[in-house]
Amino acid sequence: MPEADPRPDAEIERILVVVAHPDDIDFGGAGTVALWTKAGIEVQYCIVTDGQAGGFEPDRDRAEIPAVRRAEQTAAAQHVGVRDLHFLGYQDGSVEPTAELVRDISQVIRKVRPQRLLTQSPERSWHRLQVSHPDHMAAAEATVRAFYPAAGNPYAYPDLTEEAWEVGELWMMDHPVANHYVDITDTFDQKLAALMSHTSQHRDPDGLRTGIRRNFAAVATAAGYPANHYAEAFTVVRL
């Protein structure tokens, strides 16, 4: 894994986040997103599925779930300063890195024209298997393929009318090997608020808060930050 060499945030105007499910970004990177938006960077979300297979309400009409989860993600995004969301509407539990999905993600990249792309990891983490949901890996693989070469290749997907756009910088969450950490102590409460917006997904909200505090405090310790700090971990790759 190469050393991280992210561009200074002051050089970044727009960032696109691509994840498999509603709430994925809030677990993995919402604290960092809040820092970016506070710095004046425009951040947009692209959510591949509507999370149709999520939740813990057996009596609820499952046909309602896509609308519920889109509304929850929209509310969560507002807690960290994100207003623009792109929902691709793929089926939860069935994501594959198809040419169609690479095309759809490439189209969003070309519309948003970001200088930084944040997604999940296409590689399985055996130490934390729950972050390696098959949808996460498939959405991430499609995003990496869009990052290079599809979105920046004017001859890829010639049916798209949007001009080709090369992002240049890829960030991945929950990758087996992290090479970059962000101190989110100042935005940790915003991250929690975003996570708590996904009310349909939490059987034990208090337990979730406790676990999130513990987990991201441990990341801060691993990164060498002082006690009582929180951090998020990433793998950064530049073209």
Side-chain angles (χ1 to χ4, degrees), residues 56-107:
F56 303 98
E57 301 165 297
D59 296 329
R60 187 164 204 163
D61 183 353
R62 300 304 296 178
E64 299 175 358
I65 296 300
V68 168
R69 300 217 61 190
R70 288 192 182 201
E72 289 175 345
Q73 183 62 86
T74 300
Q78 292 176 355
H79 283 293
V80 294
V82 175
R83 299 289 181 267
D84 294 316
L85 296 87
H86 309 262
F87 294 100
L88 299 186
Y90 281 71
Q91 181 65 39
D92 186 1
S94 302
V95 181
E96 297 291 344
T98 61
E100 179 186 14
L101 179 55
V102 176
R103 175 195 179 279
D104 289 346
I105 295 171
S106 296
Q107 184 173 37

mmCIF file of all heavy atoms in Angstrom, residues 56-107:
data_model
loop_
_atom_site.group_PDB
_atom_site.id
_atom_site.type_symbol
_atom_site.label_atom_id
_atom_site.label_comp_id
_atom_site.label_asym_id
_atom_site.label_seq_id
_atom_site.Cartn_x
_atom_site.Cartn_y
_atom_site.Cartn_z
ATOM 1 N N PHE A 56 -35.517 -3.761 11.297
ATOM 2 C CA PHE A 56 -35.887 -4.744 12.310
ATOM 3 C C PHE A 56 -37.362 -4.624 12.689
ATOM 4 O O PHE A 56 -37.721 -4.727 13.852
ATOM 5 C CB PHE A 56 -35.016 -4.556 13.559
ATOM 6 C CG PHE A 56 -33.541 -4.643 13.277
ATOM 7 C CD1 PHE A 56 -32.781 -3.502 13.110
ATOM 8 C CD2 PHE A 56 -32.921 -5.876 13.152
ATOM 9 C CE1 PHE A 56 -31.416 -3.589 12.846
ATOM 10 C CE2 PHE A 56 -31.562 -5.974 12.896
ATOM 11 C CZ PHE A 56 -30.814 -4.826 12.736
ATOM 12 N N GLU A 57 -38.204 -4.378 11.693
ATOM 13 C CA GLU A 57 -39.630 -4.192 11.944
ATOM 14 C C GLU A 57 -40.413 -5.230 11.136
ATOM 15 O O GLU A 57 -40.842 -4.957 10.009
ATOM 16 C CB GLU A 57 -40.043 -2.771 11.567
ATOM 17 C CG GLU A 57 -39.285 -1.698 12.342
ATOM 18 C CD GLU A 57 -39.420 -0.319 11.719
ATOM 19 O OE1 GLU A 57 -38.957 -0.134 10.570
ATOM 20 O OE2 GLU A 57 -39.996 0.562 12.370
ATOM 21 N N PRO A 58 -40.625 -6.423 11.669
ATOM 22 C CA PRO A 58 -41.242 -7.507 10.885
ATOM 23 C C PRO A 58 -42.662 -7.216 10.430
ATOM 24 O O PRO A 58 -43.123 -7.799 9.446
ATOM 25 C CB PRO A 58 -41.200 -8.703 11.848
ATOM 26 C CG PRO A 58 -41.069 -8.092 13.210
ATOM 27 C CD PRO A 58 -40.264 -6.842 13.030
ATOM 28 N N ASP A 59 -43.361 -6.322 11.125
ATOM 29 C CA ASP A 59 -44.751 -6.037 10.759
ATOM 30 C C ASP A 59 -44.882 -4.896 9.752
ATOM 31 O O ASP A 59 -45.997 -4.579 9.328
ATOM 32 C CB ASP A 59 -45.560 -5.697 12.022
ATOM 33 C CG ASP A 59 -45.640 -6.866 12.991
ATOM 34 O OD1 ASP A 59 -45.633 -8.023 12.514
ATOM 35 O OD2 ASP A 59 -45.681 -6.633 14.211
ATOM 36 N N ARG A 60 -43.796 -4.289 9.395
ATOM 37 C CA ARG A 60 -43.859 -3.146 8.492
ATOM 38 C C ARG A 60 -43.987 -3.618 7.048
ATOM 39 O O ARG A 60 -43.403 -4.628 6.649
ATOM 40 C CB ARG A 60 -42.605 -2.297 8.624
ATOM 41 C CG ARG A 60 -42.669 -0.982 7.844
ATOM 42 C CD ARG A 60 -41.601 -0.031 8.314
ATOM 43 N NE ARG A 60 -41.970 1.353 8.023
ATOM 44 C CZ ARG A 60 -41.411 2.400 8.584
ATOM 45 N NH1 ARG A 60 -40.472 2.249 9.497
ATOM 46 N NH2 ARG A 60 -41.783 3.619 8.272
ATOM 47 N N ASP A 61 -44.767 -2.897 6.264
ATOM 48 C CA ASP A 61 -44.894 -3.173 4.838
ATOM 49 C C ASP A 61 -43.544 -2.902 4.181
ATOM 50 O O ASP A 61 -43.063 -1.769 4.154
ATOM 51 C CB ASP A 61 -45.970 -2.268 4.241
ATOM 52 C CG ASP A 61 -46.220 -2.546 2.761
ATOM 53 O OD1 ASP A 61 -45.467 -3.351 2.163
ATOM 54 O OD2 ASP A 61 -47.156 -1.942 2.205
ATOM 55 N N ARG A 62 -42.932 -3.959 3.637
ATOM 56 C CA ARG A 62 -41.595 -3.802 3.069
ATOM 57 C C ARG A 62 -41.579 -2.870 1.857
ATOM 58 O O ARG A 62 -40.533 -2.327 1.501
ATOM 59 C CB ARG A 62 -41.037 -5.168 2.671
ATOM 60 C CG ARG A 62 -40.894 -6.164 3.806
ATOM 61 C CD ARG A 62 -40.046 -5.631 4.947
ATOM 62 N NE ARG A 62 -38.666 -5.373 4.557
ATOM 63 C CZ ARG A 62 -37.738 -4.868 5.375
ATOM 64 N NH1 ARG A 62 -38.052 -4.537 6.622
ATOM 65 N NH2 ARG A 62 -36.504 -4.673 4.954
ATOM 66 N N ALA A 63 -42.735 -2.677 1.245
ATOM 67 C CA ALA A 63 -42.801 -1.763 0.108
ATOM 68 C C ALA A 63 -42.512 -0.321 0.526
ATOM 69 O O ALA A 63 -42.170 0.521 -0.312
ATOM 70 C CB ALA A 63 -44.165 -1.851 -0.568
ATOM 71 N N GLU A 64 -42.652 -0.038 1.814
ATOM 72 C CA GLU A 64 -42.396 1.312 2.316
ATOM 73 C C GLU A 64 -40.909 1.596 2.506
ATOM 74 O O GLU A 64 -40.503 2.757 2.606
ATOM 75 C CB GLU A 64 -43.087 1.518 3.670
ATOM 76 C CG GLU A 64 -44.597 1.378 3.650
ATOM 77 C CD GLU A 64 -45.177 1.486 5.054
ATOM 78 O OE1 GLU A 64 -44.376 1.622 6.021
ATOM 79 O OE2 GLU A 64 -46.405 1.451 5.188
ATOM 80 N N ILE A 65 -40.100 0.553 2.590
ATOM 81 C CA ILE A 65 -38.719 0.710 3.042
ATOM 82 C C ILE A 65 -37.879 1.630 2.154
ATOM 83 O O ILE A 65 -37.141 2.481 2.676
ATOM 84 C CB ILE A 65 -38.046 -0.666 3.206
ATOM 85 C CG1 ILE A 65 -38.750 -1.462 4.309
ATOM 86 C CG2 ILE A 65 -36.562 -0.510 3.520
ATOM 87 C CD1 ILE A 65 -38.727 -0.805 5.673
ATOM 88 N N PRO A 66 -37.932 1.520 0.824
ATOM 89 C CA PRO A 66 -37.098 2.420 0.030
ATOM 90 C C PRO A 66 -37.338 3.898 0.333
ATOM 91 O O PRO A 66 -36.369 4.661 0.488
ATOM 92 C CB PRO A 66 -37.471 2.058 -1.411
ATOM 93 C CG PRO A 66 -37.873 0.618 -1.331
ATOM 94 C CD PRO A 66 -38.597 0.502 -0.025
ATOM 95 N N ALA A 67 -38.591 4.292 0.424
ATOM 96 C CA ALA A 67 -38.885 5.700 0.712
ATOM 97 C C ALA A 67 -38.422 6.087 2.111
ATOM 98 O O ALA A 67 -37.894 7.188 2.328
ATOM 99 C CB ALA A 67 -40.383 5.969 0.561
ATOM 100 N N VAL A 68 -38.610 5.176 3.079
ATOM 101 C CA VAL A 68 -38.170 5.439 4.445
ATOM 102 C C VAL A 68 -36.662 5.642 4.498
ATOM 103 O O VAL A 68 -36.156 6.600 5.106
ATOM 104 C CB VAL A 68 -38.587 4.279 5.379
ATOM 105 C CG1 VAL A 68 -37.894 4.388 6.735
ATOM 106 C CG2 VAL A 68 -40.100 4.259 5.558
ATOM 107 N N ARG A 69 -35.938 4.772 3.837
ATOM 108 C CA ARG A 69 -34.483 4.830 3.923
ATOM 109 C C ARG A 69 -33.910 6.028 3.153
ATOM 110 O O ARG A 69 -32.909 6.614 3.566
ATOM 111 C CB ARG A 69 -33.874 3.515 3.455
ATOM 112 C CG ARG A 69 -34.368 2.348 4.318
ATOM 113 C CD ARG A 69 -33.331 1.315 4.567
ATOM 114 N NE ARG A 69 -32.162 1.835 5.272
ATOM 115 C CZ ARG A 69 -31.035 1.148 5.431
ATOM 116 N NH1 ARG A 69 -30.927 -0.067 4.924
ATOM 117 N NH2 ARG A 69 -30.009 1.667 6.086
ATOM 118 N N ARG A 70 -34.556 6.394 2.063
ATOM 119 C CA ARG A 70 -34.112 7.612 1.372
ATOM 120 C C ARG A 70 -34.331 8.833 2.262
ATOM 121 O O ARG A 70 -33.471 9.725 2.328
ATOM 122 C CB ARG A 70 -34.860 7.774 0.051
ATOM 123 C CG ARG A 70 -34.446 6.786 -1.023
ATOM 124 C CD ARG A 70 -34.997 7.159 -2.383
ATOM 125 N NE ARG A 70 -34.636 6.180 -3.412
ATOM 126 C CZ ARG A 70 -34.620 6.426 -4.709
ATOM 127 N NH1 ARG A 70 -34.972 7.619 -5.159
ATOM 128 N NH2 ARG A 70 -34.268 5.484 -5.570
ATOM 129 N N ALA A 71 -35.477 8.877 2.942
ATOM 130 C CA ALA A 71 -35.759 10.016 3.827
ATOM 131 C C ALA A 71 -34.778 10.053 4.991
ATOM 132 O O ALA A 71 -34.300 11.131 5.389
ATOM 133 C CB ALA A 71 -37.192 9.934 4.334
ATOM 134 N N GLU A 72 -34.463 8.891 5.555
ATOM 135 C CA GLU A 72 -33.504 8.846 6.662
ATOM 136 C C GLU A 72 -32.127 9.307 6.216
ATOM 137 O O GLU A 72 -31.446 10.055 6.927
ATOM 138 C CB GLU A 72 -33.438 7.432 7.238
ATOM 139 C CG GLU A 72 -34.688 7.030 8.010
ATOM 140 C CD GLU A 72 -34.669 5.578 8.470
ATOM 141 O OE1 GLU A 72 -33.831 4.795 7.958
ATOM 142 O OE2 GLU A 72 -35.500 5.221 9.323
ATOM 143 N N GLN A 73 -31.699 8.854 5.041
ATOM 144 C CA GLN A 73 -30.374 9.265 4.565
ATOM 145 C C GLN A 73 -30.333 10.750 4.253
ATOM 146 O O GLN A 73 -29.325 11.417 4.494
ATOM 147 C CB GLN A 73 -29.976 8.461 3.332
ATOM 148 C CG GLN A 73 -28.581 8.784 2.810
ATOM 149 C CD GLN A 73 -27.489 8.484 3.818
ATOM 150 O OE1 GLN A 73 -26.999 7.373 3.904
ATOM 151 N NE2 GLN A 73 -27.092 9.479 4.603
ATOM 152 N N THR A 74 -31.419 11.279 3.732
ATOM 153 C CA THR A 74 -31.479 12.713 3.450
ATOM 154 C C THR A 74 -31.373 13.517 4.738
ATOM 155 O O THR A 74 -30.643 14.521 4.795
ATOM 156 C CB THR A 74 -32.777 13.043 2.708
ATOM 157 O OG1 THR A 74 -32.819 12.305 1.467
ATOM 158 C CG2 THR A 74 -32.878 14.524 2.403
ATOM 159 N N ALA A 75 -32.084 13.070 5.779
ATOM 160 C CA ALA A 75 -32.006 13.750 7.078
ATOM 161 C C ALA A 75 -30.612 13.619 7.677
ATOM 162 O O ALA A 75 -30.060 14.583 8.237
ATOM 163 C CB ALA A 75 -33.047 13.177 8.031
ATOM 164 N N ALA A 76 -30.024 12.428 7.582
ATOM 165 C CA ALA A 76 -28.677 12.209 8.110
ATOM 166 C C ALA A 76 -27.672 13.119 7.422
ATOM 167 O O ALA A 76 -26.788 13.699 8.069
ATOM 168 C CB ALA A 76 -28.285 10.745 7.937
ATOM 169 N N ALA A 77 -27.794 13.246 6.116
ATOM 170 C CA ALA A 77 -26.861 14.069 5.354
ATOM 171 C C ALA A 77 -26.888 15.520 5.816
ATOM 172 O O ALA A 77 -25.846 16.194 5.874
ATOM 173 C CB ALA A 77 -27.185 13.975 3.866
ATOM 174 N N GLN A 78 -28.068 16.004 6.164
ATOM 175 C CA GLN A 78 -28.185 17.398 6.590
ATOM 176 C C GLN A 78 -27.404 17.670 7.874
ATOM 177 O O GLN A 78 -26.910 18.781 8.081
ATOM 178 C CB GLN A 78 -29.658 17.757 6.755
ATOM 179 C CG GLN A 78 -30.412 17.790 5.438
ATOM 180 C CD GLN A 78 -31.900 18.049 5.602
ATOM 181 O OE1 GLN A 78 -32.411 18.125 6.709
ATOM 182 N NE2 GLN A 78 -32.591 18.179 4.490
ATOM 183 N N HIS A 79 -27.252 16.661 8.722
ATOM 184 C CA HIS A 79 -26.493 16.843 9.963
ATOM 185 C C HIS A 79 -25.018 17.106 9.701
ATOM 186 O O HIS A 79 -24.335 17.684 10.559
ATOM 187 C CB HIS A 79 -26.635 15.607 10.852
ATOM 188 C CG HIS A 79 -27.939 15.513 11.574
ATOM 189 N ND1 HIS A 79 -28.317 16.395 12.568
ATOM 190 C CD2 HIS A 79 -28.972 14.640 11.433
ATOM 191 C CE1 HIS A 79 -29.511 16.069 13.030
ATOM 192 N NE2 HIS A 79 -29.941 15.012 12.351
ATOM 193 N N VAL A 80 -24.533 16.692 8.547
ATOM 194 C CA VAL A 80 -23.113 16.893 8.238
ATOM 195 C C VAL A 80 -22.915 17.836 7.046
ATOM 196 O O VAL A 80 -21.850 17.862 6.433
ATOM 197 C CB VAL A 80 -22.392 15.549 8.005
ATOM 198 C CG1 VAL A 80 -22.370 14.741 9.286
ATOM 199 C CG2 VAL A 80 -23.024 14.745 6.875
ATOM 200 N N GLY A 81 -23.942 18.608 6.719
ATOM 201 C CA GLY A 81 -23.806 19.658 5.720
ATOM 202 C C GLY A 81 -23.930 19.232 4.286
ATOM 203 O O GLY A 81 -23.478 19.944 3.381
ATOM 204 N N VAL A 82 -24.575 18.078 4.035
ATOM 205 C CA VAL A 82 -24.737 17.578 2.663
ATOM 206 C C VAL A 82 -26.192 17.745 2.243
ATOM 207 O O VAL A 82 -27.108 17.311 2.950
ATOM 208 C CB VAL A 82 -24.309 16.099 2.558
ATOM 209 C CG1 VAL A 82 -24.605 15.544 1.165
ATOM 210 C CG2 VAL A 82 -22.834 15.959 2.893
ATOM 211 N N ARG A 83 -26.405 18.340 1.087
ATOM 212 C CA ARG A 83 -27.762 18.624 0.602
ATOM 213 C C ARG A 83 -28.125 17.861 -0.666
ATOM 214 O O ARG A 83 -29.298 17.627 -0.942
ATOM 215 C CB ARG A 83 -27.904 20.122 0.326
ATOM 216 C CG ARG A 83 -27.691 21.011 1.549
ATOM 217 C CD ARG A 83 -28.840 20.894 2.536
ATOM 218 N NE ARG A 83 -28.658 21.767 3.697
ATOM 219 C CZ ARG A 83 -28.084 21.404 4.832
ATOM 220 N NH1 ARG A 83 -27.602 20.176 4.952
ATOM 221 N NH2 ARG A 83 -27.972 22.238 5.843
ATOM 222 N N ASP A 84 -27.140 17.483 -1.461
ATOM 223 C CA ASP A 84 -27.397 16.855 -2.763
ATOM 224 C C ASP A 84 -27.101 15.366 -2.699
ATOM 225 O O ASP A 84 -25.964 14.963 -2.405
ATOM 226 C CB ASP A 84 -26.545 17.504 -3.854
ATOM 227 C CG ASP A 84 -26.928 18.954 -4.096
ATOM 228 O OD1 ASP A 84 -28.142 19.228 -4.159
ATOM 229 O OD2 ASP A 84 -26.028 19.801 -4.213
ATOM 230 N N LEU A 85 -28.127 14.556 -2.960
ATOM 231 C CA LEU A 85 -27.994 13.105 -2.925
ATOM 232 C C LEU A 85 -28.497 12.513 -4.228
ATOM 233 O O LEU A 85 -29.521 12.952 -4.781
ATOM 234 C CB LEU A 85 -28.789 12.506 -1.754
ATOM 235 C CG LEU A 85 -28.338 12.885 -0.340
ATOM 236 C CD1 LEU A 85 -29.004 14.179 0.129
ATOM 237 C CD2 LEU A 85 -28.668 11.768 0.645
ATOM 238 N N HIS A 86 -27.780 11.501 -4.717
ATOM 239 C CA HIS A 86 -28.155 10.776 -5.931
ATOM 240 C C HIS A 86 -28.463 9.336 -5.522
ATOM 241 O O HIS A 86 -27.587 8.628 -5.025
ATOM 242 C CB HIS A 86 -27.008 10.791 -6.940
ATOM 243 C CG HIS A 86 -26.458 12.158 -7.220
ATOM 244 N ND1 HIS A 86 -26.829 12.903 -8.327
ATOM 245 C CD2 HIS A 86 -25.557 12.925 -6.539
ATOM 246 C CE1 HIS A 86 -26.184 14.050 -8.316
ATOM 247 N NE2 HIS A 86 -25.401 14.092 -7.241
ATOM 248 N N PHE A 87 -29.702 8.902 -5.714
ATOM 249 C CA PHE A 87 -30.109 7.536 -5.386
ATOM 250 C C PHE A 87 -30.224 6.735 -6.676
ATOM 251 O O PHE A 87 -31.036 7.065 -7.549
ATOM 252 C CB PHE A 87 -31.448 7.542 -4.646
ATOM 253 C CG PHE A 87 -31.394 8.184 -3.282
ATOM 254 C CD1 PHE A 87 -31.824 9.493 -3.101
ATOM 255 C CD2 PHE A 87 -30.920 7.485 -2.186
ATOM 256 C CE1 PHE A 87 -31.786 10.085 -1.856
ATOM 257 C CE2 PHE A 87 -30.874 8.061 -0.927
ATOM 258 C CZ PHE A 87 -31.302 9.369 -0.756
ATOM 259 N N LEU A 88 -29.427 5.664 -6.787
ATOM 260 C CA LEU A 88 -29.436 4.872 -8.022
ATOM 261 C C LEU A 88 -30.521 3.808 -8.034
ATOM 262 O O LEU A 88 -30.865 3.298 -9.098
ATOM 263 C CB LEU A 88 -28.058 4.232 -8.240
ATOM 264 C CG LEU A 88 -26.890 5.206 -8.393
ATOM 265 C CD1 LEU A 88 -25.613 4.447 -8.744
ATOM 266 C CD2 LEU A 88 -27.184 6.272 -9.445
ATOM 267 N N GLY A 89 -31.042 3.418 -6.875
ATOM 268 C CA GLY A 89 -32.193 2.529 -6.815
ATOM 269 C C GLY A 89 -31.933 1.066 -7.091
ATOM 270 O O GLY A 89 -32.878 0.326 -7.405
ATOM 271 N N TYR A 90 -30.701 0.612 -6.959
ATOM 272 C CA TYR A 90 -30.413 -0.820 -7.137
ATOM 273 C C TYR A 90 -30.984 -1.622 -5.967
ATOM 274 O O TYR A 90 -31.295 -1.082 -4.898
ATOM 275 C CB TYR A 90 -28.908 -1.051 -7.245
ATOM 276 C CG TYR A 90 -28.326 -0.733 -8.608
ATOM 277 C CD1 TYR A 90 -28.227 0.580 -9.055
ATOM 278 C CD2 TYR A 90 -27.897 -1.745 -9.460
ATOM 279 C CE1 TYR A 90 -27.697 0.878 -10.307
ATOM 280 C CE2 TYR A 90 -27.364 -1.464 -10.706
ATOM 281 C CZ TYR A 90 -27.269 -0.150 -11.122
ATOM 282 O OH TYR A 90 -26.753 0.145 -12.366
ATOM 283 N N GLN A 91 -31.118 -2.929 -6.176
ATOM 284 C CA GLN A 91 -31.707 -3.808 -5.178
ATOM 285 C C GLN A 91 -30.688 -4.171 -4.099
ATOM 286 O O GLN A 91 -29.607 -4.690 -4.392
ATOM 287 C CB GLN A 91 -32.230 -5.087 -5.833
ATOM 288 C CG GLN A 91 -32.896 -6.064 -4.881
ATOM 289 C CD GLN A 91 -34.182 -5.509 -4.265
ATOM 290 O OE1 GLN A 91 -34.960 -4.837 -4.947
ATOM 291 N NE2 GLN A 91 -34.400 -5.787 -2.995
ATOM 292 N N ASP A 92 -31.048 -3.919 -2.865
ATOM 293 C CA ASP A 92 -30.221 -4.282 -1.716
ATOM 294 C C ASP A 92 -29.994 -5.794 -1.698
ATOM 295 O O ASP A 92 -30.935 -6.576 -1.830
ATOM 296 C CB ASP A 92 -30.939 -3.826 -0.441
ATOM 297 C CG ASP A 92 -30.130 -4.010 0.824
ATOM 298 O OD1 ASP A 92 -28.979 -4.473 0.758
ATOM 299 O OD2 ASP A 92 -30.670 -3.673 1.901
ATOM 300 N N GLY A 93 -28.733 -6.194 -1.535
ATOM 301 C CA GLY A 93 -28.397 -7.614 -1.471
ATOM 302 C C GLY A 93 -28.056 -8.243 -2.796
ATOM 303 O O GLY A 93 -27.668 -9.420 -2.834
ATOM 304 N N SER A 94 -28.168 -7.481 -3.882
ATOM 305 C CA SER A 94 -27.934 -8.048 -5.213
ATOM 306 C C SER A 94 -26.952 -7.239 -6.048
ATOM 307 O O SER A 94 -26.911 -7.378 -7.268
ATOM 308 C CB SER A 94 -29.263 -8.151 -5.979
ATOM 309 O OG SER A 94 -30.202 -8.935 -5.275
ATOM 310 N N VAL A 95 -26.161 -6.409 -5.411
ATOM 311 C CA VAL A 95 -25.259 -5.534 -6.164
ATOM 312 C C VAL A 95 -24.083 -6.331 -6.725
ATOM 313 O O VAL A 95 -23.473 -7.137 -6.018
ATOM 314 C CB VAL A 95 -24.738 -4.381 -5.281
ATOM 315 C CG1 VAL A 95 -23.830 -3.458 -6.088
ATOM 316 C CG2 VAL A 95 -25.901 -3.595 -4.689
ATOM 317 N N GLU A 96 -23.786 -6.101 -7.981
ATOM 318 C CA GLU A 96 -22.614 -6.655 -8.639
ATOM 319 C C GLU A 96 -21.922 -5.519 -9.402
ATOM 320 O O GLU A 96 -22.585 -4.570 -9.844
ATOM 321 C CB GLU A 96 -22.997 -7.772 -9.618
ATOM 322 C CG GLU A 96 -23.649 -8.986 -8.973
ATOM 323 C CD GLU A 96 -22.690 -9.793 -8.110
ATOM 324 O OE1 GLU A 96 -21.458 -9.590 -8.249
ATOM 325 O OE2 GLU A 96 -23.169 -10.608 -7.308
ATOM 326 N N PRO A 97 -20.601 -5.587 -9.590
ATOM 327 C CA PRO A 97 -19.892 -4.512 -10.300
ATOM 328 C C PRO A 97 -20.058 -4.627 -11.811
ATOM 329 O O PRO A 97 -19.107 -4.846 -12.566
ATOM 330 C CB PRO A 97 -18.437 -4.713 -9.862
ATOM 331 C CG PRO A 97 -18.330 -6.183 -9.590
ATOM 332 C CD PRO A 97 -19.677 -6.581 -9.022
ATOM 333 N N THR A 98 -21.281 -4.501 -12.265
ATOM 334 C CA THR A 98 -21.610 -4.660 -13.677
ATOM 335 C C THR A 98 -21.213 -3.426 -14.476
ATOM 336 O O THR A 98 -20.999 -2.334 -13.922
ATOM 337 C CB THR A 98 -23.115 -4.878 -13.839
ATOM 338 O OG1 THR A 98 -23.799 -3.719 -13.315
ATOM 339 C CG2 THR A 98 -23.585 -6.123 -13.089
ATOM 340 N N ALA A 99 -21.169 -3.596 -15.788
ATOM 341 C CA ALA A 99 -20.911 -2.450 -16.663
ATOM 342 C C ALA A 99 -21.989 -1.383 -16.486
ATOM 343 O O ALA A 99 -21.702 -0.181 -16.572
ATOM 344 C CB ALA A 99 -20.846 -2.912 -18.117
ATOM 345 N N GLU A 100 -23.225 -1.820 -16.221
ATOM 346 C CA GLU A 100 -24.316 -0.857 -16.009
ATOM 347 C C GLU A 100 -24.064 -0.008 -14.777
ATOM 348 O O GLU A 100 -24.248 1.222 -14.794
ATOM 349 C CB GLU A 100 -25.648 -1.605 -15.866
ATOM 350 C CG GLU A 100 -26.827 -0.677 -15.615
ATOM 351 C CD GLU A 100 -28.119 -1.429 -15.332
ATOM 352 O OE1 GLU A 100 -28.057 -2.650 -15.075
ATOM 353 O OE2 GLU A 100 -29.185 -0.787 -15.346
ATOM 354 N N LEU A 101 -23.637 -0.644 -13.679
ATOM 355 C CA LEU A 101 -23.392 0.119 -12.461
ATOM 356 C C LEU A 101 -22.184 1.042 -12.633
ATOM 357 O O LEU A 101 -22.212 2.196 -12.185
ATOM 358 C CB LEU A 101 -23.175 -0.824 -11.276
ATOM 359 C CG LEU A 101 -22.891 -0.151 -9.929
ATOM 360 C CD1 LEU A 101 -23.981 0.850 -9.561
ATOM 361 C CD2 LEU A 101 -22.733 -1.203 -8.834
ATOM 362 N N VAL A 102 -21.127 0.561 -13.287
ATOM 363 C CA VAL A 102 -19.976 1.423 -13.543
ATOM 364 C C VAL A 102 -20.402 2.624 -14.377
ATOM 365 O O VAL A 102 -19.981 3.765 -14.118
ATOM 366 C CB VAL A 102 -18.853 0.642 -14.254
ATOM 367 C CG1 VAL A 102 -17.695 1.581 -14.618
ATOM 368 C CG2 VAL A 102 -18.345 -0.493 -13.370
ATOM 369 N N ARG A 103 -21.274 2.385 -15.354
ATOM 370 C CA ARG A 103 -21.780 3.482 -16.176
ATOM 371 C C ARG A 103 -22.553 4.487 -15.325
ATOM 372 O O ARG A 103 -22.357 5.708 -15.454
ATOM 373 C CB ARG A 103 -22.699 2.931 -17.267
ATOM 374 C CG ARG A 103 -23.383 3.992 -18.117
ATOM 375 C CD ARG A 103 -24.546 3.400 -18.909
ATOM 376 N NE ARG A 103 -25.217 4.411 -19.718
ATOM 377 C CZ ARG A 103 -26.127 5.258 -19.233
ATOM 378 N NH1 ARG A 103 -26.455 5.232 -17.948
ATOM 379 N NH2 ARG A 103 -26.696 6.142 -20.040
ATOM 380 N N ASP A 104 -23.446 3.995 -14.455
ATOM 381 C CA ASP A 104 -24.270 4.897 -13.657
ATOM 382 C C ASP A 104 -23.421 5.731 -12.699
ATOM 383 O O ASP A 104 -23.679 6.923 -12.500
ATOM 384 C CB ASP A 104 -25.307 4.094 -12.865
ATOM 385 C CG ASP A 104 -26.395 3.510 -13.760
ATOM 386 O OD1 ASP A 104 -26.496 3.937 -14.934
ATOM 387 O OD2 ASP A 104 -27.139 2.618 -13.291
ATOM 388 N N ILE A 105 -22.410 5.101 -12.094
ATOM 389 C CA ILE A 105 -21.526 5.847 -11.195
ATOM 390 C C ILE A 105 -20.674 6.832 -11.983
ATOM 391 O O ILE A 105 -20.477 7.980 -11.551
ATOM 392 C CB ILE A 105 -20.655 4.869 -10.375
ATOM 393 C CG1 ILE A 105 -21.538 4.037 -9.445
ATOM 394 C CG2 ILE A 105 -19.595 5.626 -9.578
ATOM 395 C CD1 ILE A 105 -20.811 2.895 -8.753
ATOM 396 N N SER A 106 -20.204 6.418 -13.140
ATOM 397 C CA SER A 106 -19.423 7.323 -13.996
ATOM 398 C C SER A 106 -20.248 8.548 -14.380
ATOM 399 O O SER A 106 -19.730 9.675 -14.428
ATOM 400 C CB SER A 106 -18.951 6.598 -15.259
ATOM 401 O OG SER A 106 -18.056 5.554 -14.945
ATOM 402 N N GLN A 107 -21.517 8.332 -14.650
ATOM 403 C CA GLN A 107 -22.383 9.456 -15.020
ATOM 404 C C GLN A 107 -22.509 10.453 -13.870
ATOM 405 O O GLN A 107 -22.448 11.675 -14.078
ATOM 406 C CB GLN A 107 -23.757 8.950 -15.431
ATOM 407 C CG GLN A 107 -24.682 10.058 -15.928
ATOM 408 C CD GLN A 107 -25.982 9.518 -16.487
ATOM 409 O OE1 GLN A 107 -26.538 8.547 -15.972
ATOM 410 N NE2 GLN A 107 -26.476 10.131 -17.561
#
